[in-house]
Amino acid sequence: MSSQGTEFTTQTALEATIPVVSFESVSMRYGQSPEVLRDLNFTLATGSFHFLTGASGAGKSSLLKLIYMAARPSRGALRIFDRDISHTPREHLPLLRRRIGVVFQEFRLLDHLNAFDNVALPLRIAGRKVEDYQSDVVELLEWVGLGHRLWAMPPTLSGGEKQRLSIARAVVTKPDILLADEPTGNVDHAMALRILRLLVELNRMGATVVIASHDQDLVARSGMPVMHLEDGQLSTLAPTVSQPPTPEPVGLDE
Amino acid sequence: MTVQHHPATALQGAAILPLKDGRDGGLVFTIAVLSFLACIAVIAALAADRAAQGWARQLAGSATVQVRPMGGLSGPEAAAQAAEALAGVKGVLEARAMDRKSAEALLEPWLGKGNIPADLPLPQLVTVELDPEKPATAAALNQALKAAHLSAAVDDHSRWMADVRASSDTVRASSAIACLLISAAAGAVIAFATRQGLAARRDIVEVLHLCGAEDPFVARLFQKRFAGLAMRASAYGALAAAAVGAILRLTGGSDGFSPALPIAWTDLAACVAAPVLGATVAAVSAHSVAMAILREQV
């Protein structure tokens, strides 16, 4: 995927100084239930890499939902790509969403589409022609180690294969933000390391990455900054301007 | 890089909504029945219209003149003179005084054969056959009778024709209303199915949205799916209606089905419109319902 590197890094100097995600006193609730996220204040710098940790129910998935715009804040100002998401009309969201790749804990693959079509889905939605993206998709599937399973249907894939397929779908549009919700939750340790290396590589190509994870060992070994959610609040603040990822993240070698 | 060892269809891009759905059977049946009813209504209306036109043509092609004996002329003499006068009018093909025998034959259905006394005064009638292309008007016939100094009343059948025309209009309007109601019912059924489909495929719709799909993209998927389904179901209904029409036409002989409903083979061609109309109604209904539901989401 050498071609991706150049595209990820073609940002103007101005864009690089504006945080890609900015939370200002953001709270969120579902319907009339109590707030699941309270008074969050943080920014994510372009090209940064963060782990998001916290116990089950701490609000990790809800925080990611806010960033991929599947939910809106109930209070506060949320800016993504320098757009005020709380007040952006619904019909403007799809184009912003296309710049965000999401890897879901439960994969959310379409079972009636084969691996190739699942990965190609965001490109079809963006109106691209199959002749134009065919080789990119195949190359990407080979990169995640699924080159031999192009026409396999998701129900026939193993947990690790599904996980890598959903990563491939999340990155096929070369997104500016990559969110992953427990991407190593369903795989063994060796596969978890492999997936983490994949996400670090994408970050090196320029994507801002946030990974929600339970896996304390993996988080510690990566040496990446951590945002910790506890009871709907960030207890460990991320650096406001995060450093680019360390050239060789420690502890990721097998 | 080239892609090898893949099914030929794979690169066409599979349908984003699953093609087969077990719940489709009832929907196909309902739309097919609606399409069948609409086609039968149209075929019946076309046949009834043809019957009405036939009757109207017969009525328009003739007139009846009742002559009153006057100025020393006997009834038959007056009728003969009237026939002569009327035959010369432009737009009249033939004018013939009705003899007593024919007049008695007309009364037989009411009085019975042999029950008509020989001295019963019967009206003196002249039957006038008009040129169907340019029939003479009642005014022209009256003018000619007046010029011949005859007292007579002209019945150009316009009163009957108005009745025939009114009943033919009623049949046509009823058929149009039936088709409209059936189309509306089809639209409502599709709207319901779209609502169900969006709920049942919520997982897929969410993934599409998260992959950056705009509402019209998602709505078009449901529009395409239900338009295709409605086209197929309407075609089944139309075929069944055409088959019924063909059987009626065949068993009815030269009259079509009956003199009141003379079905022509060309009437069956109306069934061709059903799949197109069904697909259009379904497309409009599915798209508008899907858009309305999607707009309510986050």
Side-chain angles (χ1 to χ4, degrees):
Chain A
M1 302 294 286
S2 54
S3 61
Q4 282 194 336
T6 49
E7 293 214 26
F8 272 142
T9 51
T10 49
Q11 292 156 333
T12 64
L14 180 67
E15 277 177 333
T17 59
I18 298 171
V20 70
V21 174
S22 151
F23 279 65
E24 265 180 61
S25 309
V26 168
S27 299
M28 182 203 154
R29 61 163 50 141
Y30 293 100
Q32 295 303 308
S33 56
E35 287 178 338
V36 287
L37 295 172
R38 284 201 309 280
D39 218 20
L40 300 184
N41 285 288
F42 69 92
T43 58
L44 298 177
T46 303
S48 62
F49 190 115
H50 287 89
F51 274 102
L52 178 62
T53 61
S56 289
K60 299 192 295 291
S61 296
S62 297
L63 176 52
L64 294 185
K65 255 189 195 173
L66 283 178
I67 303 178
Y68 64 73
M69 294 172 272
R72 304 222 200 197
S74 46
R75 284 191 293 131
L78 169 59
R79 297 187 77 79
I80 295 170
F81 303 125
D82 207 27
R83 289 283 297 267
D84 178 359
I85 296 307
S86 311
H87 299 104
T88 300
R90 178 181 157 74
E91 57 269 25
H92 291 173
L93 295 183
L95 286 181
L96 296 175
R97 283 203 189 105
R98 289 180 195 178
R99 300 173 61 186
I100 302 175
V102 189
V103 181
F104 296 98
Q105 189 173 3
E106 66 279 24
F107 315 126
R108 293 212 182 179
L109 299 166
L110 300 189
D111 284 348
H112 62 285
L113 298 183
N114 62 33
F116 178 93
D117 280 332
N118 261 289
V119 172
L121 187 62
L123 301 171
R124 281 173 77 177
I125 287 171
R128 303 254 315 264
K129 294 267 169 288
V130 65
E131 308 86 71
D132 301 334
Y133 61 67
Q134 174 185 329
S135 58
D136 287 349
V137 169
V138 173
E139 201 178 336
L140 179 57
L141 278 162
E142 281 171 351
W143 185 63
V144 298
L146 291 174
H148 61 299
R149 313 274 343 235
L150 292 183
W151 318 115
M153 305 308 272
T156 68
L157 298 176
S158 71
E161 285 174 327
K162 284 183 190 170
Q163 192 66 271
R164 283 176 283 146
L165 186 56
S166 77
I167 291 173
R169 185 183 65 188
V171 303
V172 72
T173 53
K174 298 164 186 167
D176 297 317
I177 300 176
L178 180 62
L179 307 173
D181 196 355
E182 302 286 356
T184 59
N186 299 286
V187 295
D188 62 27
H189 193 67
M191 182 58 74
L193 280 177
R194 199 170 152 194
I195 286 171
L196 185 58
R197 272 201 299 276
L198 227 139
L199 296 172
V200 168
E201 198 175 330
L202 287 163
N203 173 246
R204 288 210 189 108
M205 292 173 181
T208 305
V209 177
V210 178
I211 304 175
S213 181
H214 266 115
D215 192 339
Q216 292 299 336
D217 178 50
L218 192 77
V219 174
R221 285 175 75 177
S222 74
M224 296 296 193
V226 175
M227 298 190 291
H228 187 68
L229 262 179
E230 213 170 293
D231 203 17
Q233 288 184 297
L234 275 178
S235 62
T236 314
L237 281 179
T240 311
V241 179
S242 50
Q243 300 82 22
T246 44
E248 277 304 318
V250 288
L252 286 189
D253 299 314
E254 278 168 288
Chain B
M1 134 143 252
T2 54
V3 184
Q4 292 162 343
H5 309 303
H6 59 78
T9 54
L11 285 182
Q12 306 289 314
I16 291 176
L17 285 181
L19 283 178
K20 290 273 173 226
D21 197 321
R23 287 160 296 203
D24 284 354
L27 188 57
V28 169
F29 176 75
T30 309
I31 302 283
V33 168
L34 291 173
S35 158
F36 174 81
L37 294 176
C39 288
I40 291 292
V42 170
I43 290 173
L46 288 173
D49 205 46
R50 179 170 302 103
Q53 276 180 21
W55 293 330
R57 210 178 303 118
Q58 285 172 21
L59 288 172
S62 62
T64 312
V65 176
Q66 190 182 340
V67 187
R68 292 177 207 101
M70 201 180 79
L73 286 174
S74 73
E77 282 167 352
Q81 280 196 14
E84 205 172 308
L86 291 169
V89 177
K90 203 176 172 197
V92 172
L93 294 180
E94 193 190 3
R96 199 161 47 80
M98 194 183 278
D99 54 26
R100 185 165 173 96
K101 219 171 158 193
S102 308
E104 280 180 3
L106 283 175
L107 285 174
E108 259 175 29
W110 283 272
L111 300 179
K113 203 172 169 73
N115 288 339
I116 302 166
D119 56 351
L120 179 75
L122 292 180
Q124 297 299 319
L125 298 176
V126 177
T127 57
V128 183
E129 198 185 318
L130 301 172
D131 182 355
E133 301 298 320
K134 278 187 179 163
T137 61
L141 298 180
N142 271 323
Q143 184 84 43
L145 290 165
K146 215 172 171 186
H149 305 291
L150 291 163
S151 167
V154 175
D155 173 8
D156 66 352
H157 302 162
S158 56
R159 191 159 64 85
W160 311 110
M161 278 167 66
D163 282 354
V164 167
R165 219 169 275 135
S167 61
S168 140
D169 286 349
T170 307
V171 168
R172 214 178 299 146
S174 308
S175 160
I177 289 170
C179 284
L180 271 179
L181 284 176
I182 289 168
S183 302
V189 168
I190 291 293
F192 182 74
T194 305
R195 209 170 281 279
Q196 295 285 89
L198 270 165
R201 299 294 174 195
R202 200 190 167 84
D203 50 341
I204 296 177
V205 172
E206 267 178 29
V207 169
L208 295 176
H209 274 145
L210 295 175
C211 288
E214 293 168 306
D215 290 343
F217 178 91
V218 179
R220 269 199 302 277
L221 295 177
F222 284 89
Q223 176 189 342
K224 257 195 212 165
R225 186 177 140 59
F226 285 115
L229 184 146
M231 182 180 267
R232 190 158 52 90
S234 304
Y236 296 155
L239 274 177
V244 168
I247 290 167
L248 293 180
R249 177 69 185 82
L250 284 173
T251 54
S254 60
D255 272 345
F257 174 45
S258 78
L261 275 182
I263 295 171
W265 288 112
T266 48
D267 294 347
L268 305 186
C271 296
V272 172
V276 180
L277 187 69
T280 309
V281 167
V284 170
S285 172
H287 193 269
S288 55
V289 167
M291 284 301 285
I293 293 175
L294 292 172
R295 268 194 221 105
E296 287 166 13
Q297 296 179 355
V298 176

